[in-house]
Amino acid sequence: MGLASKHLLGISELTSAEIVHVLDTAETFRAISQREIKKVPTLRGRTVINLFFEASTRTRTSFELAGKRLSADTINISASTSSVTKGETLLDTARNLEAMSPDFIVIRHPSAGAPHALARICRAAVINAGDGAHEHPTQALLDAMTIRQHKGRVENLRVAIIGDILHSRVARSNMHLLTKLGAQVSLAGPGTLVPAEFEELVAGGNLRVASRIEEAIEGADVVMVLRIQRERQDAAFFPSLREYAVHYGLNLKRLSGAQPDAIVMHPGPMNRGIEIASDVADGSRSLILDQVSNGLAVRMAVLYLLAGGSVLNQNMLSQTKPETANTTADPRAGATPAVTSSNSAAEQLEPVAAGGQAGAEQKRRVKTADSN
Ligand code: CP
């Protein structure tokens, strides 16, 4: 099963079944990054363009690595080195990129809705890597994957999301995802950054705005801290960063109100000593780097599923033949992803030149031609 839409624009458009499907698929892809040879031929011949109009360390790197580990060709374009600096519009940029027939365009843009505008004119699958303060769907997916690994489920967990909710696309995507999977979500932070109307963003009553940060953290299974997004704040939402740290920062004392086995998450980049104290960020309950590792697996899963992924088995995850490595260790190394289904999506994913049913047929034809 792939996903209903050919694009991934937001969590709000996914069903809970689709979310679980992405998470399950990502678990399968996680194993690839733990191998010595971290590459499979699944998307050989496909092209991924990463079009980033805002800074990024985690998202851009992991989309690039995800594409490379699936054997796709990946290209990075940043606003500062593109012809946008010469006055070209976003849509003209997209049309020109489309003329080179990419299969995926991954876009991060400061304007909410930019990925949706591209999706309306592009044949390529468009993936939202963060649009303004709107959504960051792959971040919420990697967060859910991390929660499931450590808590075994998302349903009925109490999740506190604290900090700059107003400007956070991570918060919006997580509000949609966590409530779709049945978590109870509490939002807290300075009143100027947590509008009470946010409770109306999702149906079902699983989302509430707490009046104090301690109230949201009380009894929480998961404490998710958000970055103060100074680049999106065009007004003084709180007196000073020092005051913010004192009144709203997550420190060990505040965390002691959560469940004893509560986990701490942060999407990064962190402002250490402001929204999160270093002893919490680096403490035993922090899963911040696990989130980053899971981001790679989630992005591999998203690329695979948007490519029409429907069959995912051990053979499909067979390694690409290492060019110089000793291949005797794994007799399957270099094997084609042996997708045996006649399903057309699976056939699309089968790298013909590398072998497999279609590849074997091609080799037979070549051999016959040679012997003639
Ligand atoms: N969490 C996240 O989106 O990080 P980057 O801005 O580094 O991509």
Side-chain angles (χ1 to χ4, degrees):
M1 180 181 95
L3 301 175
S5 171
K6 68 177 281 195
H7 309 290
L8 177 61
L9 302 177
I11 298 292
S12 64
E13 290 123 44
L14 296 181
T15 64
S16 55
E18 286 179 311
I19 292 168
V20 169
H21 186 47
V22 177
L23 299 180
D24 290 343
T25 307
E27 283 297 341
T28 314
F29 278 111
R30 193 158 68 109
I32 293 170
S33 296
Q34 289 156 1
R35 295 176 180 170
E36 188 184 350
I37 307 296
K38 301 173 180 59
K39 198 155 182 158
V40 291
T42 312
L43 294 186
R44 186 177 289 166
R46 306 291 178 104
T47 306
V48 182
I49 296 182
N50 287 323
L51 183 57
F52 275 61
F53 290 85
E54 277 188 350
S56 169
T57 297
R58 283 146 286 267
T59 312
R60 199 179 81 162
T61 308
S62 59
F63 265 116
E64 183 177 1
L65 270 180
K68 285 185 181 339
R69 289 192 181 172
L70 294 171
S71 301
D73 297 311
T74 60
I75 294 162
N76 294 321
I77 303 175
S78 61
S80 61
T81 55
S82 76
S83 289
V84 168
T85 57
K86 301 175 192 166
E88 188 170 68
T89 66
L90 170 64
L91 293 186
D92 279 338
T93 298
R95 286 187 187 101
N96 280 273
L97 295 174
E98 271 276 291
M100 294 180 247
S101 306
D103 299 286
F104 304 92
I105 299 179
V106 180
I107 177 170
R108 171 171 287 190
H109 198 278
S111 299
H116 305 70
L118 257 59
R120 281 193 284 276
I121 63 163
C122 288
R123 288 183 304 277
V126 175
I127 302 174
N128 182 359
D131 61 327
H134 178 226
E135 279 230 37
H136 190 350
T138 54
Q139 178 69 44
L141 288 162
L142 73 89
D143 289 341
M145 183 176 180
T146 309
I147 292 171
R148 282 206 327 178
Q149 280 163 6
H150 289 268
K151 295 289 174 191
R153 68 188 201 286
V154 173
E155 192 173 12
N156 291 329
L157 290 181
R158 295 176 64 174
V159 182
I161 306 181
I162 62 177
D164 181 356
I165 311 286
L166 180 65
H167 300 101
S168 176
R169 54 198 176 208
V170 175
R172 279 173 184 72
S173 287
N174 265 303
M175 286 179 222
H176 289 296
L177 188 152
L178 293 168
T179 56
K180 280 180 192 222
L181 295 196
Q184 306 285 326
V185 179
S186 297
L187 310 175
T192 49
L193 293 174
V194 192
E197 306 83 66
F198 271 44
E199 284 188 353
E200 316 300 327
L201 270 183
V202 301
N206 281 355
L207 179 66
R208 72 183 185 100
V209 172
S211 53
R212 291 170 51 251
I213 195 166
E214 289 79 6
E215 185 188 319
I217 293 172
E218 186 67 39
D221 301 291
V222 180
V223 181
M224 198 177 279
V225 188
L226 299 177
R227 182 171 69 88
I228 290 295
Q229 303 210 17
R230 281 176 279 178
E231 75 275 20
R232 293 191 215 285
Q233 295 179 5
D234 52 8
F237 289 92
F238 48 87
S240 69
L241 291 176
R242 191 176 159 278
E243 292 230 1
Y244 187 93
V246 170
H247 296 292
Y248 304 104
L250 184 66
N251 51 34
L252 286 173
K253 183 164 182 291
R254 288 209 170 93
L255 184 58
S256 68
Q259 295 288 348
D261 62 348
I263 57 176
V264 174
M265 303 172 71
H266 190 305
M270 285 186 282
N271 294 303
R272 281 178 182 267
I274 301 174
E275 72 258 4
I276 188 165
S278 278
D279 48 10
V280 175
D282 302 329
S284 59
R285 296 200 254 173
S286 168
L287 300 179
I288 293 169
L289 295 179
D290 293 43
Q291 290 173 261
V292 179
S293 303
N294 286 333
L296 180 52
V298 157
R299 286 160 186 140
M300 289 172 84
V302 166
L303 290 173
Y304 167 74
L305 291 171
L306 292 182
S310 61
V311 174
L312 189 58
N313 60 31
Q314 209 47 44
N315 288 333
M316 202 217 67
L317 299 176
S318 294
Q319 293 174 357
T320 296
K321 187 172 186 175
E323 303 205 340
T324 54
N326 177 353
T327 56
T328 56
D330 180 356
R332 288 185 300 123
T336 300
V339 179
T340 52
S341 161
S342 61
N343 177 303
S344 61
E347 283 166 357
Q348 281 172 24
L349 288 170
E350 187 172 18
V352 172
Q357 290 183 333
E361 177 56 30
Q362 189 184 50
K363 279 181 193 151
R364 267 197 299 280
R365 282 201 298 270
V366 170
K367 199 161 185 294
T368 310
D370 282 352
S371 55
N372 286 343

